[in-house]
Amino acid sequence: MSKPQVLIAANPKKGIVWSKEEQKSKLGAVAEVLELTSSSREEFYKDLSSGGKYANIVGIYRHNDSASAVGLFDKDLIEYLPQSVKYICHNGAGYDQIDIAAATARNIEVSHTPGAVDAATATVGAFLAISAMRQFYRAEVNVRNGQWKSGLSPARDPEEKVLGIIGMGGIGQALARRLIAFDMKVIYHNRNEIKPAPNFPCTYVANQEDLLRQADIVSLNLPLNEKTKGSFGKKQFDQMKDGSVLVNTARGAVVDEDALLEALDSGKLFSAGLDVFPDEPNVNPKLLKNDKITVLPHMGTETQDSQKKMEILVLDNLISALSGKGLLNQVPEQKK
């Protein structure tokens, strides 16, 4: 009996990077593995069509890097997938590059990789919070330009400040654990209070405005969807404490950048730390020119260790589904 076919839609030149042995030994034991070779969406559609080399695939390993060749997994692409496709297993905690509604309409189940990204992304968030408070970005630019401390003003200590987390999922909780080491008080806002409570000191705030009025550092750790897109704007910045800090390791499009810049220019915000932007890899030049902001090029999971954990979790999702046990990490929208 032939094995079901699975397509690795990852980096078109590299494929899976850190887990090739696991791809061969674990996934290869239950599936015939095909590699993405299509160099354009048009070629991909041809390869997916009847008689094409991907016409009978059952599952897809999907990485954002595949977008450079075939584009996003939007409604048009998903509707073009052959009827044989039952699973799209995405490498990433965020999955806004996939049209979940279109996949659900096609009875295609989608998974992602929560948990595998928590530690690395939280470490980036902690760095951004500390850098923003201490203004380490300005200091590094100074010393690299031979200016030592010239023009630098005293920054702020992170100790004993209030950390407000919007979206206390796995990343938010990992961030809290890191910053508690700085004697921070942790408050958080979710749609619902976490039960059982996290195993560290924290306080649930049912109203987001109440959190914003209390927090010295506000960290955004929520997914990008139609409800959250542009949801953090002038109204929210006005509600924040004077001289507070914003950290965003979620998705750039959650924040209204013009409102952020206005809050920084007015002094409402002391500083900000950003790892994500709406139109990556393009970054608003005004953000780059503003020396109150520490910016990183979406470094959340840019570690060998985390990327391997993510790759293996995608493989495990495929293996579980093909073995009749269902997806391990199906996206919440489909669980409902």
Side-chain angles (χ1 to χ4, degrees):
M1 185 175 180
S2 61
K3 297 176 183 177
Q5 291 185 342
V6 168
L7 173 65
I8 304 297
N11 186 302
K13 296 181 180 179
K14 300 178 182 178
I16 288 178
V17 178
W18 307 105
S19 308
K20 290 188 181 297
E21 180 53 42
E22 289 83 355
Q23 173 188 324
K24 181 179 179 180
S25 61
K26 295 176 65 176
L27 183 60
V30 298
E32 179 186 350
V33 181
L34 308 178
E35 299 276 356
L36 178 69
T37 58
S38 313
S39 59
S40 67
R41 177 168 285 218
E42 291 73 22
E43 184 180 353
F44 190 45
Y45 283 178
K46 181 180 178 181
D47 292 336
L48 290 167
S49 63
S50 179
K53 54 188 172 183
Y54 309 141
N56 299 310
I57 57 173
V58 174
I60 300 174
Y61 174 116
R62 198 256 171 199
H63 191 287
N64 285 347
D65 282 355
S66 66
S68 63
V70 302
L72 306 183
F73 272 44
D74 54 16
K75 186 173 186 289
D76 184 69
L77 187 150
I78 287 173
E79 290 183 346
Y80 213 95
L81 295 175
Q83 292 297 318
S84 56
V85 175
K86 302 300 179 187
Y87 310 104
I88 298 173
C89 296
H90 175 66
N91 185 324
Y95 44 90
D96 46 283
Q97 291 197 4
I98 302 174
D99 190 322
I100 301 299
T104 304
R106 284 282 314 274
N107 293 315
I108 297 173
E109 297 182 10
V110 183
S111 68
H112 61 141
T113 60
V117 305
D118 292 354
T121 306
T123 297
V124 169
F127 165 79
L128 289 173
I130 302 305
S131 177
M133 290 292 287
R134 290 295 307 272
Q135 289 292 272
F136 285 149
Y137 165 69
R138 281 177 168 172
E140 181 174 359
V141 170
N142 254 37
V143 74
R144 288 183 182 277
N145 290 335
Q147 296 175 338
W148 199 238
K149 295 183 182 180
S150 175
L152 296 180
S153 300
R156 302 186 66 200
D157 286 325
E159 285 75 17
E160 299 181 356
K161 299 300 191 293
V162 177
L163 170 66
I165 295 176
I166 299 178
M168 184 70 99
I171 296 171
Q173 292 184 43
L175 175 66
R177 291 189 185 95
R178 283 157 172 73
L179 292 181
I180 283 173
F182 289 85
D183 298 321
M184 290 191 188
K185 175 186 176 183
V186 177
I187 60 177
Y188 75 95
H189 171 72
N190 277 359
R191 285 177 294 179
N192 300 295
E193 185 175 2
I194 298 173
K195 294 183 179 180
N199 61 351
F200 52 83
C202 63
T203 302
Y204 175 62
V205 181
N207 186 290
Q208 178 175 287
E209 181 176 349
D210 290 340
L211 178 144
L212 295 178
R213 295 196 184 284
Q214 296 179 57
D216 298 292
I217 301 171
V218 173
S219 176
L220 302 181
N221 300 96
L222 63 168
L224 176 63
N225 53 45
E226 290 303 315
K227 292 183 179 179
T228 63
K229 187 175 183 179
S231 63
F232 210 90
K234 186 178 188 307
K235 177 181 177 181
Q236 288 70 35
F237 288 118
D238 287 346
Q239 293 168 349
M240 292 175 68
K241 289 177 66 174
D242 291 345
S244 54
V245 167
L246 179 75
V247 172
N248 187 11
T249 58
R251 285 292 188 266
V254 169
V255 175
D256 180 333
E257 289 187 343
D258 289 335
L260 169 61
L261 288 163
E262 180 182 335
L264 288 164
D265 290 343
S266 70
K268 176 68 177 181
L269 292 190
F270 177 68
S271 58
L274 307 176
D275 188 42
V276 288
F277 307 91
D279 186 29
E280 298 176 5
N282 303 305
V283 180
N284 185 337
K286 293 180 180 178
L287 295 177
L288 298 178
K289 291 178 181 178
N290 193 311
D291 66 359
K292 292 183 178 180
I293 308 174
T294 297
V295 292
L296 294 175
H298 204 146
M299 295 295 289
T301 56
E302 289 297 319
T303 73
Q304 299 176 23
D305 311 89
S306 289
Q307 290 185 11
K308 182 167 184 176
K309 284 193 292 185
M310 293 164 70
E311 288 180 354
I312 289 177
L313 185 53
V314 181
L315 296 178
D316 287 345
N317 269 278
L318 280 167
I319 292 165
S320 179
L322 295 175
S323 301
K325 299 176 182 177
L327 294 172
L328 301 173
N329 306 102
Q330 193 167 7
V331 296
E333 295 90 334
Q334 292 188 335
K335 286 182 180 179
K336 294 177 183 178

